Amino acid sequence: MKQFLSGLLMIVTLQQVSAQELYMPRNIKKAYENGTRSMSGAPGKNYWQNKGVYNVEVKVDGATKIVSGKETIVYSNNSPNDLNELAIRFVNNLHKPQSPRSGFVSKDFLSSGLDIKSFTVNGEKYNINSDDWGTVEKVKLNSVLKSKSKAEIKIEWEYPLSVQSGREGQIDPETFYVAYSFPRVSVYDDYNGWDMLPHSDRQEFYNDFNDYSFAITAPKNYVVWATGDFLNPESVLQPEYLKRYKTSLRSDKVINIATEQEMKSAKVTKQNKWNVWKFKASHITDFCFALSKHYTWDAASVQLKTKRVSVQAGYKSGAKDFEHYVDWMRYNLDWFSKNWPGVEYPYNAMTAIQGYADMEYPMMINDTSIPDDFQDARLTADHEIAHTYFPFYMGINETRYAFMDEGWATTLEYLIGIDENGEAAAQEFYKNFRLKRWINDPSSEQDQPIITMSTQVSGAGYGNNSYVKASLSYLALKDYLGDDLFKKALHHYMNNWNGKHPIPWDYFNSMNTGSGKNLNWFFNNWFYTNNYIDLKIGATAQQNNLLSISVDNVGGFAIPFDAKIKYEDGDVETLHFSPSVWEKDQTKTVLTIPIKKKVKSINLDGGLFMDYTPENNSKNL
């Protein structure tokens, strides 16, 4: 173990070691040189990020399935650079036939995409032909947007809802999930400039922390659920349902605000031809909403340390798993706040909508119903809500570094699963659903280092990096540091980057500083290699009440494992070894174990860390 240093000496030493040991691409290195990032792990003294204040009026026509809107964006260029162009992102253009996609889609997925009716910057009209736009396009500015100045952008637009529902679209003819529903300014950051990576329907999202005010015009009898605070329930709900909704905001018990029959009987919303539903959310990376004419509406709330959070669900009548969703969400919001990550849920609401995506959004999730497997259904909700922290509490660049959010959500899903289902069941689910497809995958040439940019891997390579190996690295580090120090370091990282845009090196450096340890050997081992999990027992000897076991790390990953020693009298002793055994030499270690009896056999068991060749993990003496 390296000597523990404290104070300024520790920070300087860690800075030097980190700079020497962890590879950085030259654009990332330049950001550190420019002082926007710091080798301590915190944002640098010159850190900046741009911001938009969005005022959006959007209308959903239930008959034509057209979404139309107009928005005003007050965009702040906080960067040190003058901008002569704006990058505008509209993810729903993924549905255009000519858009590049990661896989096959049906005809029902395709649509004509975004039609921009008007586009102005600071009152000056631009002639925009959006027919040829993809998911992100640049608009050359007639007047430069100076550093530290603002621009007012106004856009009017419309687009059709996709018939096929995935992350967004028509769940059924009277239920719509309206996500990525408005043109926005793409991220301009300190290490890549404009984010021009197209959305392909595999990698997820990267957005600025913006302020959103939405006025959503919906047809009579449609209920709207959305990101943010619901500002005008009195204007859109009839008295009985308004009363139920308001009661739910103070209730620990689930309240059925509206049944399917009540929705269909025109009792729930005000009987105007159109109702305008208003929502507001500040300093958040996205805004989405859903609406339905017949979904059942349940709600309750949960008291956290500093606030009471509204918890809601909208679903098809008879969806047995969704009947439990409000209770499940009340539980996981409380559990995540108190246990792992141990940071209070940061928002005032959380809503689950039954759809087809198993996808997270700020304050909302869109989940498939799994009525015949409540454990799977509940863990799906746990996983998607865990994303609240990564990538929403911290603005992860999911497009480039998906492991920074999916890996954490997978880890949190596993940890809460231990609480909900017991350790044995949680491990079995994790192995079956996550690990086996990676460790047993014969196509090992697609198994690239985790640090590989997410757009550069596909298929199993993407899933294994983003979910499986990343999660295992976090769990291995938790084992190495111990729960208390791991949580201290994790909170240091989260406090550094709450409301900002961390990249992998910010994670590495924050964990180094937060733990007071040089963990670069560990990060190199897990993130920069083609390692996998494969231990092998080598030479063994029993002499003078000492058992010596040589262990070859064939696969290379620095994993924890148990040595199970069976004695000739039938007794079994289990000893746990953390990844610290690999700190000096990641290819081989020798275990020296005091014993008092004759040993019959030895077995190495990685538990959750499944071995590629378990047959050479046992040896008879």
Side-chain angles (χ1 to χ4, degrees), residues 127-368:
N127 292 320
I128 298 293
N129 181 0
S130 56
D131 289 346
D132 295 329
W133 277 29
T135 57
V136 59
E137 294 290 336
K138 284 184 177 177
V139 174
K140 185 170 178 56
L141 294 173
N142 295 333
S143 301
V144 169
L145 176 57
K146 295 286 189 180
S147 171
K148 314 302 181 188
S149 68
K150 297 181 179 181
E152 184 182 71
I153 306 157
K154 293 187 175 182
I155 314 174
E156 293 188 32
W157 45 265
E158 68 177 30
Y159 73 95
L161 283 166
S162 170
V163 174
Q164 179 181 317
S165 178
R167 288 173 173 158
E168 33 68 33
Q170 300 179 44
I171 295 173
D172 64 46
E174 296 180 334
T175 306
F176 319 125
Y177 204 94
V178 190
Y180 327 116
S181 62
F182 56 98
R184 73 188 74 200
V185 182
S186 193
V187 177
Y188 184 80
D189 62 32
D190 63 310
Y191 59 95
N192 268 312
W194 286 114
D195 176 30
M196 295 302 296
L197 289 174
H199 180 65
S200 70
D201 211 24
R202 177 183 288 117
Q203 292 81 23
E204 293 179 9
F205 308 101
Y206 180 40
N207 296 311
D208 279 323
F209 283 88
N210 298 318
D211 297 341
Y212 294 104
S213 294
F214 264 71
I216 302 163
T217 300
K220 177 174 61 177
N221 298 322
Y222 276 84
V223 166
V224 177
W225 300 270
T227 297
D229 296 326
F230 184 12
L231 301 181
N232 67 333
E234 295 86 357
S235 301
V236 293
L237 294 175
Q238 295 199 48
E240 175 59 28
Y241 303 91
L242 175 64
K243 179 181 176 183
R244 296 180 193 177
Y245 169 74
K246 287 189 170 182
T247 301
S248 78
L249 300 178
R250 305 182 302 275
S251 175
D252 291 328
K253 294 183 178 179
V254 179
I255 293 172
N256 179 228
I257 295 178
T259 66
E260 177 188 33
Q261 189 56 45
E262 288 170 329
M263 293 279 281
K264 289 181 175 179
S265 299
K267 296 180 177 180
V268 179
T269 73
K270 293 289 182 69
Q271 292 302 290
N272 306 309
K273 183 177 180 181
W274 300 92
N275 289 310
V276 179
W277 302 65
K278 295 182 179 182
F279 297 86
K280 185 177 179 64
S282 298
H283 200 59
I284 200 160
T285 58
D286 204 356
F287 182 98
C288 71
F289 63 97
L291 62 163
S292 180
K293 200 174 181 179
H294 63 86
Y295 263 24
T296 294
W297 182 9
D298 288 347
S301 58
V302 57
Q303 180 65 52
L304 303 181
K305 185 176 181 179
T306 67
K307 61 182 174 293
R308 183 171 277 274
V309 176
S310 173
V311 182
Q312 303 176 56
Y315 58 94
K316 295 178 184 177
S317 178
K320 296 300 181 184
D321 52 343
F322 266 83
E323 292 173 358
H324 298 274
Y325 251 66
V326 169
D327 273 334
W328 290 348
M329 293 190 297
R330 289 186 69 254
Y331 188 88
N332 67 30
L333 293 183
D334 183 67
W335 194 93
F336 290 141
S337 298
K338 292 177 178 175
N339 297 280
W340 295 103
V343 172
E344 185 174 79
Y345 177 77
Y347 309 122
N348 294 327
M350 171 55 72
T351 301
I353 299 296
Q354 182 188 347
Y356 300 104
D358 297 339
M359 184 65 194
E360 73 281 358
Y361 314 78
M363 303 185 221
M364 294 189 77
I365 58 176
N366 173 357
D367 280 2
T368 308

Side-chain angles (χ1 to χ4, degrees), residues 59-109:
K59 181 178 182 180
V60 181
D61 191 316
T64 65
K65 312 299 192 286
I66 296 293
V67 180
S68 57
K70 57 183 179 179
E71 63 189 279
T72 299
I73 310 165
V74 177
Y75 182 71
S76 297
N77 176 19
N78 299 319
S79 82
N81 307 316
D82 296 343
L83 303 178
N84 57 17
E85 56 192 3
L86 292 174
I88 304 297
R89 184 171 291 276
F90 186 69
V91 168
N92 264 289
N93 271 348
L94 178 77
H95 294 277
K96 295 174 73 168
Q98 64 269 45
S99 290
R101 285 177 288 271
S102 59
F104 176 84
V105 296
S106 72
K107 291 180 180 179
D108 281 345
F109 184 88

